[in-house]
Coordinates of all heavy atoms in Angstrom, one line a residue:
M3 N -92.1 108.5 176.1 CA -91.7 107.2 175.8 C -91.9 106.2 177.1 O -92.1 105.1 176.8 CB -90.0 107.2 175.7 CG -89.6 107.8 174.4 SD -87.8 107.7 174.1 CE -87.2 108.9 175.1
V4 N -92.0 106.8 178.2 CA -92.3 105.9 179.3 C -93.8 105.3 179.1 O -94.0 104.2 179.4 CB -92.1 106.7 180.7 CG1 -92.7 105.8 181.8 CG2 -90.7 107.0 180.9
N5 N -94.6 106.3 178.7 CA -96.1 105.9 178.5 C -96.1 104.8 177.5 O -96.8 103.9 177.7 CB -96.9 107.0 178.2 CG -97.1 108.0 179.4 OD1 -96.9 107.5 180.5 ND2 -97.4 109.2 179.0
D6 N -95.4 104.9 176.5 CA -95.3 103.9 175.3 C -94.8 102.7 175.8 O -95.5 101.5 175.6 CB -94.6 104.4 174.1 CG -95.2 105.7 173.5 OD1 -96.4 105.8 173.5 OD2 -94.5 106.2 172.6
G7 N -93.7 102.7 176.7 CA -93.1 101.4 177.1 C -94.1 100.8 178.1 O -94.2 99.6 178.2
A8 N -94.7 101.6 179.0 CA -95.7 101.0 179.9 C -96.8 100.3 179.2 O -97.2 99.1 179.5 CB -96.3 102.0 180.9
A9 N -97.3 100.9 178.1 CA -98.4 100.4 177.2 C -98.0 99.0 176.6 O -98.8 98.1 176.5 CB -98.9 101.4 176.2
L10 N -96.7 98.9 176.4 CA -96.2 97.7 175.8 C -95.7 96.7 176.7 O -95.3 95.6 176.4 CB -95.1 98.0 174.7 CG -95.5 98.9 173.4 CD1 -94.1 99.3 172.8 CD2 -96.4 98.0 172.5
G11 N -95.8 97.0 178.0 CA -95.4 96.1 178.9 C -93.8 96.1 179.2 O -93.3 95.1 179.8
L12 N -93.1 97.1 178.7 CA -91.6 97.1 178.8 C -91.1 97.8 180.0 O -90.0 97.4 180.4 CB -91.1 97.7 177.5 CG -91.5 97.2 176.3 CD1 -91.0 98.0 175.0 CD2 -91.1 95.8 176.1
V13 N -91.9 98.6 180.5 CA -91.4 99.3 181.8 C -92.7 99.2 183.0 O -93.8 99.1 182.5 CB -91.1 100.8 181.6 CG1 -89.9 100.8 180.8 CG2 -92.1 101.5 181.1
E14 N -92.3 99.4 184.1 CA -93.3 99.5 185.2 C -93.0 100.6 186.2 O -91.8 101.0 186.2 CB -93.4 98.2 186.0 CG -92.1 97.7 186.6 CD -92.0 96.3 187.3 OE1 -93.1 95.6 187.1 OE2 -91.1 96.0 187.9
Q15 N -94.0 101.2 186.8 CA -93.8 102.2 187.8 C -93.7 101.6 189.2 O -94.4 100.6 189.5 CB -94.9 103.2 187.8 CG -95.0 104.0 186.4 CD -96.1 105.0 186.7 OE1 -96.7 105.2 187.7 NE2 -96.5 105.6 185.5
N16 N -92.7 102.0 190.0 CA -92.5 101.5 191.3 C -92.4 102.8 192.2 O -92.2 103.7 191.9 CB -91.1 100.8 191.5 CG -91.1 99.6 190.6 OD1 -91.9 98.7 190.7 ND2 -89.9 99.3 189.9
A17 N -92.8 102.5 193.5 CA -92.8 103.6 194.5 C -91.5 104.3 194.6 O -90.4 103.5 194.6 CB -93.3 103.0 195.8
N18 N -91.4 105.5 194.9 CA -90.2 106.2 195.0 C -90.0 106.8 196.4 O -90.8 107.8 196.5 CB -90.0 107.3 193.9 CG -88.7 108.0 194.0 OD1 -87.9 107.9 195.0 ND2 -88.5 108.9 192.9
P19 N -89.3 106.3 197.3 CA -89.4 106.8 198.6 C -88.8 108.3 198.6 O -89.3 108.9 199.7 CB -88.4 105.9 199.4 CG -87.8 104.9 198.4 CD -88.5 105.2 197.1
A20 N -88.2 108.7 197.8 CA -87.5 110.1 197.9 C -88.7 111.1 197.4 O -88.5 112.2 197.7 CB -86.4 110.2 197.1
H21 N -89.5 110.6 196.4 CA -90.5 111.5 195.9 C -91.9 110.8 195.7 O -92.1 110.0 194.8 CB -90.1 112.0 194.4 CG -88.7 112.9 194.6 ND1 -88.7 114.1 194.9 CD2 -87.5 112.5 194.3 CE1 -87.5 114.5 194.8 NE2 -86.7 113.4 194.5
R22 N -92.8 111.1 196.6 CA -94.1 110.4 196.4 C -94.8 110.5 195.2 O -95.5 109.7 194.7 CB -95.0 110.9 197.7 CG -94.4 110.5 198.9 CD -95.5 110.7 200.1 NE -96.0 112.2 200.0 CZ -96.8 112.7 200.8 NH1 -97.2 112.1 201.8 NH2 -97.1 114.0 200.8
R23 N -94.7 111.6 194.6 CA -95.4 112.0 193.4 C -94.6 111.6 192.0 O -95.2 111.7 190.9 CB -95.8 113.4 193.3 CG -96.8 113.7 194.3 CD -97.2 115.2 194.3 NE -97.4 115.8 193.1 CZ -97.8 117.1 192.9 NH1 -98.0 117.8 194.1 NH2 -97.9 117.5 191.8
S24 N -93.4 111.1 192.2 CA -92.5 110.8 191.0 C -92.1 109.4 191.2 O -91.1 109.0 191.8 CB -91.4 111.7 190.9 OG -91.7 113.1 190.7
P25 N -92.8 108.4 190.5 CA -92.5 107.0 190.5 C -91.1 106.8 190.0 O -90.7 107.5 189.0 CB -93.6 106.4 189.9 CG -94.2 107.4 188.9 CD -93.9 108.6 189.6
L26 N -90.5 105.6 190.4 CA -89.4 105.1 189.8 C -89.8 104.3 188.6 O -90.8 103.5 188.7 CB -88.5 104.3 190.6 CG -87.9 105.1 191.8 CD1 -87.1 104.3 192.9 CD2 -86.8 106.1 191.4
I27 N -89.1 104.4 187.4 CA -89.5 103.6 186.3 C -88.4 102.5 186.1 O -87.3 102.8 186.2 CB -89.6 104.5 185.0 CG1 -90.4 105.7 185.1 CG2 -89.8 103.7 183.8 CD1 -91.9 105.3 185.5
A28 N -89.0 101.3 185.9 CA -88.1 100.1 185.8 C -88.4 99.1 184.6 O -89.6 99.1 184.3 CB -88.0 99.3 187.2
L29 N -87.4 98.6 184.1 CA -87.6 97.7 183.0 C -88.4 96.4 183.4 O -87.8 96.0 184.6 CB -86.4 97.3 182.3 CG -85.7 98.3 181.5 CD1 -84.3 97.8 181.0 CD2 -86.5 98.7 180.2
T30 N -89.1 95.9 182.8 CA -89.8 94.6 183.1 C -88.9 93.6 182.5 O -88.0 93.9 181.7 CB -91.3 94.5 182.6 OG1 -91.1 94.6 181.2 CG2 -92.1 95.5 183.0
A31 N -89.2 92.3 182.6 CA -88.5 91.2 182.0 C -88.6 91.4 180.5 O -87.6 91.2 179.8 CB -89.0 89.8 182.4
A32 N -89.8 91.7 180.0 CA -89.9 91.9 178.6 C -89.1 93.2 178.1 O -88.6 93.1 177.0 CB -91.4 92.2 178.2
G33 N -89.0 94.2 178.9 CA -88.2 95.3 178.6 C -86.8 95.0 178.5 O -86.1 95.4 177.6
R34 N -86.2 94.3 179.4 CA -84.8 93.8 179.5 C -84.6 93.0 178.2 O -83.5 93.2 177.6 CB -84.4 93.0 180.7 CG -84.3 94.0 181.9 CD -83.7 93.2 183.2 NE -84.6 92.3 183.7 CZ -85.6 92.6 184.5 NH1 -85.9 93.8 184.7 NH2 -86.5 91.6 184.8
A35 N -85.4 92.0 177.8 CA -85.4 91.3 176.7 C -85.3 92.1 175.4 O -84.6 91.9 174.5 CB -86.4 90.2 176.6
A36 N -86.2 93.2 175.3 CA -86.2 94.0 174.2 C -84.8 94.8 174.1 O -84.3 95.0 172.9 CB -87.4 95.1 174.3
I37 N -84.4 95.3 175.2 CA -83.0 96.1 175.1 C -81.9 95.0 174.8 O -81.0 95.5 173.9 CB -82.8 96.6 176.5 CG1 -83.8 97.7 176.9 CG2 -81.4 97.2 176.6 CD1 -83.8 98.9 175.9
T38 N -81.8 93.8 175.1 CA -81.0 93.0 174.8 C -80.9 92.6 173.3 O -80.0 92.5 172.5 CB -81.1 91.6 175.7 OG1 -80.9 91.9 177.0 CG2 -80.0 90.5 175.3
A39 N -82.2 92.4 172.9 CA -82.4 92.2 171.3 C -81.9 93.3 170.5 O -81.3 93.1 169.4 CB -83.9 91.9 171.1
V40 N -82.2 94.6 171.0 CA -81.7 95.7 170.2 C -80.1 95.7 170.2 O -79.5 96.0 169.2 CB -82.2 97.1 170.8 CG1 -81.5 98.3 170.2 CG2 -83.6 97.3 170.5
G41 N -79.5 95.5 171.4 CA -78.1 95.4 171.5 C -77.5 94.3 170.5 O -76.6 94.5 169.9
D42 N -78.1 93.2 170.6 CA -77.7 92.1 169.9 C -77.7 92.5 168.3 O -76.8 92.1 167.5 CB -78.4 90.7 170.1 CG -78.2 90.2 171.4 OD1 -77.2 90.5 172.0 OD2 -79.0 89.4 171.8
R43 N -78.8 93.1 167.8 CA -79.0 93.5 166.5 C -77.8 94.5 166.2 O -77.3 94.5 165.0 CB -80.4 94.0 166.3 CG -80.7 94.2 164.7 CD -82.2 94.5 164.5 NE -82.6 95.6 165.2 CZ -83.6 95.7 166.0 NH1 -84.3 94.6 166.4 NH2 -84.1 96.8 166.7
E44 N -77.7 95.4 166.9 CA -76.6 96.5 166.6 C -75.3 95.8 166.5 O -74.5 96.2 165.6 CB -76.6 97.5 167.8 CG -77.8 98.4 167.9 CD -77.7 99.4 169.1 OE1 -76.9 99.2 170.0 OE2 -78.5 100.4 169.0
K45 N -74.9 94.9 167.4 CA -73.7 94.2 167.2 C -73.5 93.5 165.9 O -72.5 93.5 165.2 CB -73.5 93.2 168.3 CG -73.4 93.8 169.7 CD -73.3 92.7 170.8 CE -73.2 93.4 172.1 NZ -73.2 92.5 173.2
V46 N -74.6 92.9 165.4 CA -74.5 92.2 164.0 C -74.3 93.4 163.0 O -73.4 93.1 162.1 CB -75.8 91.5 163.8 CG1 -76.0 91.1 162.3 CG2 -75.9 90.3 164.7
V47 N -75.0 94.4 162.9 CA -74.9 95.3 162.0 C -73.6 96.0 162.0 O -73.0 96.2 161.1 CB -76.1 96.5 162.2 CG1 -75.7 97.6 161.3 CG2 -77.4 95.9 161.9
L48 N -73.1 96.4 163.2 CA -71.7 97.0 163.4 C -70.6 96.0 162.9 O -69.5 96.4 162.4 CB -71.4 97.5 164.9 CG -72.4 98.8 165.2 CD1 -72.1 99.0 166.6 CD2 -71.9 100.0 164.4
G49 N -70.9 94.7 163.0 CA -69.9 93.8 162.6 C -69.7 93.8 161.1 O -68.7 93.3 160.6
R50 N -70.7 94.3 160.4 CA -70.7 94.3 158.9 C -69.7 95.5 158.4 O -69.5 95.6 157.2 CB -72.0 94.6 158.4 CG -72.9 93.4 158.7 CD -74.3 93.8 157.9 NE -75.3 92.7 158.4 CZ -76.6 93.0 158.6 NH1 -77.0 94.2 158.1 NH2 -77.4 92.1 158.9
T51 N -69.3 96.3 159.4 CA -68.3 97.5 159.0 C -67.0 96.8 158.5 O -66.2 97.5 157.8 CB -68.2 98.5 160.0 OG1 -67.4 97.8 161.1 CG2 -69.5 99.0 160.4
G52 N -66.7 95.6 158.8 CA -65.4 95.0 158.5 C -64.2 95.8 159.1 O -63.1 95.7 158.4
G53 N -64.4 96.3 160.2 CA -63.2 97.1 160.8 C -62.9 98.4 160.1 O -61.8 99.0 160.6
E54 N -63.7 98.9 159.3 CA -63.4 100.2 158.7 C -63.7 101.3 159.6 O -63.0 102.3 159.5 CB -64.3 100.4 157.5 CG -64.1 99.2 156.3 CD -65.0 99.3 155.3 OE1 -65.8 100.3 155.2 OE2 -65.1 98.4 154.4
L55 N -64.4 101.3 160.5 CA -64.7 102.3 161.6 C -63.7 102.0 162.8 O -63.5 101.1 163.4 CB -66.1 102.2 162.1 CG -67.1 102.6 161.1 CD1 -68.6 102.5 161.9 CD2 -66.9 104.0 160.6
T56 N -63.0 103.1 163.0 CA -62.1 103.1 164.1 C -62.6 103.6 165.3 O -63.7 104.2 165.4 CB -60.7 104.0 163.8 OG1 -61.1 105.3 163.9 CG2 -60.1 103.5 162.6
E57 N -62.1 103.4 166.6 CA -62.5 103.9 167.7 C -62.7 105.4 167.7 O -63.5 106.1 168.2 CB -61.8 103.5 169.0 CG -62.3 103.8 170.3 CD -61.6 103.2 171.4 OE1 -60.8 102.3 171.3 OE2 -61.7 103.8 172.6
A58 N -61.6 106.1 167.1 CA -61.7 107.5 166.9 C -62.7 107.9 166.1 O -63.4 109.1 166.4 CB -60.3 108.0 166.3
D59 N -63.1 107.2 165.0 CA -64.4 107.6 164.1 C -65.6 107.6 165.1 O -66.4 108.6 165.0 CB -64.5 106.5 163.1 CG -63.4 106.7 162.1 OD1 -62.8 107.7 161.8 OD2 -63.3 105.6 161.3
V60 N -65.8 106.7 165.8 CA -66.9 106.5 166.6 C -67.0 107.6 167.7 O -68.0 108.3 167.9 CB -67.0 105.0 167.3 CG1 -68.2 105.0 168.3 CG2 -67.2 104.0 166.3
E61 N -65.8 107.8 168.3 CA -65.7 108.9 169.4 C -66.1 110.2 168.8 O -66.8 111.1 169.3 CB -64.4 108.9 170.0 CG -64.1 107.8 170.9 CD -62.8 107.7 171.5 OE1 -61.9 108.5 171.2 OE2 -62.5 106.9 172.3
G62 N -65.6 110.6 167.6 CA -65.8 111.8 166.9 C -67.3 112.0 166.5 O -67.8 112.9 166.7
C63 N -67.9 110.9 166.1 CA -69.3 110.9 165.8 C -70.1 111.2 167.0 O -71.0 112.0 167.0 CB -69.8 109.5 165.3 SG -71.6 109.4 164.7
V64 N -69.8 110.5 168.2 CA -70.5 110.8 169.3 C -70.4 112.2 169.8 O -71.3 112.8 170.2 CB -70.0 109.8 170.5 CG1 -70.5 110.2 171.8 CG2 -70.4 108.3 170.2
R65 N -69.1 112.7 169.6 CA -68.8 114.1 170.1 C -69.8 115.1 169.3 O -70.3 116.0 169.8 CB -67.4 114.5 169.8 CG -67.0 115.8 170.4 CD -65.5 116.1 170.2 NE -65.1 116.2 168.8 CZ -64.2 115.2 168.3 NH1 -63.8 114.2 169.1 NH2 -64.1 115.3 167.0
V66 N -69.8 114.9 167.9 CA -70.6 115.8 167.1 C -72.1 115.7 167.3 O -72.7 116.7 167.4 CB -70.2 115.4 165.6 CG1 -71.2 116.1 164.7 CG2 -68.8 115.9 165.1
L67 N -72.5 114.3 167.5 CA -74.0 114.3 167.7 C -74.3 114.7 169.0 O -75.4 115.4 169.3 CB -74.4 112.8 167.6 CG -74.4 112.3 166.1 CD1 -74.5 110.7 166.1 CD2 -75.1 112.9 165.2
S68 N -73.6 114.5 170.1 CA -73.8 115.3 171.3 C -73.7 116.7 171.3 O -74.8 117.4 172.0 CB -72.7 114.7 172.4 OG -72.8 113.3 172.6
G69 N -73.0 117.3 170.5 CA -72.9 118.7 170.3 C -74.2 119.3 169.8 O -74.8 120.3 170.1
M70 N -74.8 118.5 168.7 CA -75.9 118.8 168.0 C -77.0 118.8 168.9 O -78.0 119.6 168.9 CB -76.1 118.0 166.7 CG -75.1 118.2 165.7 SD -75.1 117.2 164.3 CE -76.8 117.5 163.6
L71 N -77.0 117.6 169.7 CA -78.3 117.5 170.7 C -78.3 118.7 171.6 O -79.3 119.3 171.9 CB -78.2 116.3 171.4 CG -78.7 115.0 170.7 CD1 -78.2 113.7 171.4 CD2 -80.2 115.0 170.2
A72 N -77.1 119.0 172.1 CA -77.0 120.2 173.0 C -77.4 121.5 172.4 O -78.2 122.3 172.9 CB -75.6 120.3 173.6
L73 N -77.1 121.6 171.2 CA -77.5 122.8 170.4 C -79.0 122.9 170.2 O -79.6 124.0 170.5 CB -76.8 122.8 169.0 CG -77.0 124.0 168.1 CD1 -76.5 125.5 168.8 CD2 -76.4 123.9 166.8
F74 N -79.6 121.8 169.9 CA -81.1 121.7 169.6 C -81.9 121.9 170.9 O -82.9 122.3 170.9 CB -81.4 120.5 168.9 CG -80.9 120.4 167.5 CD1 -80.5 119.2 167.0 CD2 -80.7 121.5 166.6 CE1 -80.0 119.1 165.7 CE2 -80.3 121.5 165.4 CZ -79.9 120.3 164.9
D75 N -81.3 121.4 172.0 CA -81.9 121.6 173.3 C -81.7 122.9 174.0 O -82.1 123.1 175.0 CB -81.4 120.5 174.3 CG -81.9 119.1 173.9 OD1 -82.9 119.0 173.3 OD2 -81.3 118.1 174.4
G76 N -81.0 123.9 173.3 CA -80.7 125.1 173.8 C -79.6 125.3 174.7 O -79.4 126.2 175.3
R77 N -78.7 124.2 174.8 CA -77.6 124.2 175.7 C -76.3 124.4 175.0 O -75.3 124.4 175.4 CB -77.5 122.9 176.4 CG -78.8 122.6 177.3 CD -78.6 121.2 178.0 NE -79.0 120.2 177.1 CZ -78.2 119.2 176.7 NH1 -77.0 119.1 177.2 NH2 -78.7 118.2 175.8
G78 N -76.4 124.6 173.6 CA -75.2 124.7 172.8 C -74.8 126.0 172.6 O -75.0 126.9 173.3
A79 N -73.9 126.2 171.4 CA -73.4 127.5 171.2 C -74.4 128.6 171.0 O -75.6 128.4 170.8 CB -72.6 127.4 169.8
E80 N -74.0 129.9 171.4 CA -75.0 130.9 171.3 C -75.2 131.4 169.9 O -74.5 131.1 169.0 CB -74.2 132.2 171.8 CG -74.0 132.0 173.4 CD -73.3 133.3 174.0 OE1 -72.4 133.7 173.3 OE2 -73.5 133.7 175.0
T81 N -76.4 131.9 169.6 CA -76.8 132.3 168.2 C -76.1 133.6 167.9 O -75.7 134.3 168.9 CB -78.3 132.4 168.1 OG1 -78.7 133.4 169.0 CG2 -78.9 131.0 168.4
D82 N -76.2 134.1 166.8 CA -75.7 135.3 166.4 C -76.4 136.5 167.1 O -75.8 137.5 167.5 CB -75.8 135.6 164.8 CG -74.8 134.8 164.1 OD1 -73.8 134.2 164.6 OD2 -75.0 134.6 162.9
E83 N -77.6 136.4 167.3 CA -78.4 137.4 168.0 C -78.0 137.5 169.4 O -77.9 138.6 170.1 CB -79.9 137.0 168.0 CG -80.6 137.1 166.8 CD -80.4 135.9 165.8 OE1 -80.1 134.7 166.5 OE2 -80.4 136.0 164.6
E84 N -77.7 136.3 170.2 CA -77.3 136.3 171.5 C -75.8 137.0 171.6 O -75.4 137.5 172.6 CB -77.2 135.0 172.1 CG -78.7 134.4 172.3 CD -78.6 133.0 172.6 OE1 -77.7 132.3 172.3 OE2 -79.7 132.5 173.1
E85 N -75.0 136.7 170.6 CA -73.6 137.3 170.6 C -73.6 138.7 170.3 O -72.6 139.4 170.6 CB -72.9 136.5 169.5 CG -72.6 135.0 169.7 CD -71.8 134.5 168.7 OE1 -71.4 135.1 167.6 OE2 -71.5 133.2 168.6
G86 N -74.6 139.2 169.7 CA -74.6 140.6 169.2 C -74.1 140.8 167.9 O -73.6 139.9 167.2
E87 N -74.3 142.0 167.3 CA -73.9 142.2 165.9 C -72.4 142.1 165.7 O -71.6 142.5 166.5 CB -74.4 143.5 165.4 CG -75.9 143.6 165.4 CD -76.4 145.0 164.8 OE1 -75.6 145.9 164.7 OE2 -77.6 145.1 164.6
G88 N -72.0 141.6 164.5 CA -70.6 141.6 164.1 C -69.9 140.3 164.8 O -68.7 140.2 164.5
G89 N -70.7 139.4 165.4 CA -70.1 138.1 165.8 C -69.6 137.3 164.7 O -68.3 137.0 164.7
G90 N -70.3 137.0 163.6 CA -69.9 136.3 162.6 C -69.5 134.9 162.6 O -69.8 134.1 161.6
E91 N -68.8 134.5 163.6 CA -68.5 133.1 163.8 C -68.7 132.7 165.3 O -68.8 133.5 166.1 CB -66.8 133.0 163.6 CG -66.6 133.3 162.2 CD -65.0 133.1 162.0 OE1 -64.4 133.2 162.9 OE2 -64.6 132.8 160.9
R92 N -68.8 131.4 165.4 CA -69.0 130.8 166.8 C -68.4 129.5 166.8 O -68.0 128.8 165.9 CB -70.6 130.8 167.1 CG -71.3 129.7 166.1 CD -72.7 129.5 166.7 NE -73.4 128.6 165.8 CZ -74.3 128.9 164.9 NH1 -74.8 130.1 164.9 NH2 -74.9 127.9 164.3
N93 N -68.3 128.8 167.9 CA -67.6 127.5 168.1 C -68.6 126.6 167.5 O -69.8 126.7 167.6 CB -67.5 127.1 169.6 CG -66.3 127.9 170.3 OD1 -65.4 128.3 169.4 ND2 -66.3 128.1 171.5
G94 N -68.0 125.6 166.9 CA -68.7 124.4 166.2 C -69.4 123.6 167.4 O -69.1 123.8 168.5
P95 N -70.2 122.6 167.0 CA -70.7 121.6 168.0 C -69.9 120.9 169.0 O -70.1 120.8 170.2 CB -71.5 120.6 167.1 CG -71.6 121.2 165.7 CD -70.5 122.2 165.6
A96 N -68.6 120.7 168.5 CA -67.7 120.0 169.3 C -67.0 121.0 170.2 O -66.0 120.6 171.1 CB -66.8 119.1 168.5
G97 N -67.1 122.2 169.9 CA -66.4 123.3 170.8 C -64.9 123.5 170.2 O -64.1 124.1 170.8
R98 N -64.6 122.9 169.0 CA -63.3 123.1 168.5 C -63.3 124.0 167.2 O -64.2 123.8 166.4 CB -62.7 121.7 168.1 CG -62.6 120.7 169.3 CD -62.2 119.4 168.9 NE -62.3 118.5 170.0 CZ -61.2 117.8 170.4 NH1 -60.2 117.8 169.7 NH2 -61.3 117.0 171.5
G99 N -62.3 124.8 167.1 CA -62.3 125.7 166.0 C -63.4 126.7 165.9 O -64.3 126.8 166.7
R100 N -63.5 127.2 164.7 CA -64.5 128.3 164.3 C -65.1 127.9 163.1 O -64.5 127.4 162.2 CB -63.8 129.6 164.1 CG -62.8 130.0 165.2 CD -63.5 130.6 166.5 NE -64.2 131.8 166.2 CZ -64.9 132.5 167.2 NH1 -65.1 131.8 168.4 NH2 -65.6 133.5 166.9
T101 N -66.5 128.1 163.1 CA -67.3 127.7 161.9 C -68.1 128.9 161.6 O -68.5 129.8 162.4 CB -68.2 126.6 162.2 OG1 -69.1 126.8 163.3 CG2 -67.5 125.3 162.4
P102 N -68.3 129.1 160.2 CA -69.2 130.3 159.8 C -70.6 130.2 160.5 O -71.1 129.1 160.5 CB -69.2 130.3 158.4 CG -68.1 129.3 158.0 CD -67.8 128.5 159.1
S103 N -71.1 131.3 160.8 CA -72.5 131.2 161.5 C -73.6 131.4 160.4 O -74.7 131.3 160.8 CB -72.6 132.2 162.6 OG -72.4 133.4 162.1
G104 N -73.2 131.9 159.3 CA -74.2 132.3 158.2 C -75.0 131.2 157.8 O -76.1 131.2 157.5

């Protein structure tokens, strides 16, 4: 993503005093404008929900999606093979309750 952003002029590399071989990546003015445009567009789209989504709905969605990302990145729940035979169940993505592993 950094390479794509650099090719589009959205980010730039700056010297990193802590790590000579790892530059710091910063948004350019065009990058800040792009991020602002995305945020503005999201606000318009979210405004169309008519107040049907509650804060709890959004928090629940973030919790589930974060759990799924952790699972896909190998940081989530153990697989049945890792648990050993006869495990049968494991914690869900949010770490609440039990879900079938089948």
Side-chain angles (χ1 to χ4, degrees):
M3 285 192 285
V4 171
N5 291 337
D6 292 341
L10 295 170
L12 302 175
V13 297
E14 61 187 4
Q15 293 185 9
N16 295 316
N18 183 349
H21 300 281
R22 292 187 309 186
R23 293 174 44 179
S24 298
L26 295 173
I27 306 300
L29 289 171
T30 62
R34 282 189 295 281
I37 295 294
T38 299
V40 168
D42 291 345
R43 189 170 60 237
E44 287 176 348
K45 288 176 188 174
V46 169
V47 171
L48 290 173
R50 295 181 191 154
T51 65
E54 295 172 14
L55 293 176
T56 66
E57 187 173 339
D59 291 335
V60 174
E61 288 174 356
C63 180
V64 169
R65 185 178 63 249
V66 169
L67 292 175
S68 296
M70 289 175 66
L71 283 173
L73 182 65
F74 294 144
D75 286 343
R77 296 177 283 124
E80 295 176 322
T81 64
D82 289 340
E83 293 81 25
E84 292 170 338
E85 291 177 4
E87 293 183 347
E91 294 183 338
R92 66 175 182 248
N93 286 333
R98 295 174 187 232
R100 308 286 288 180
T101 59
S103 61

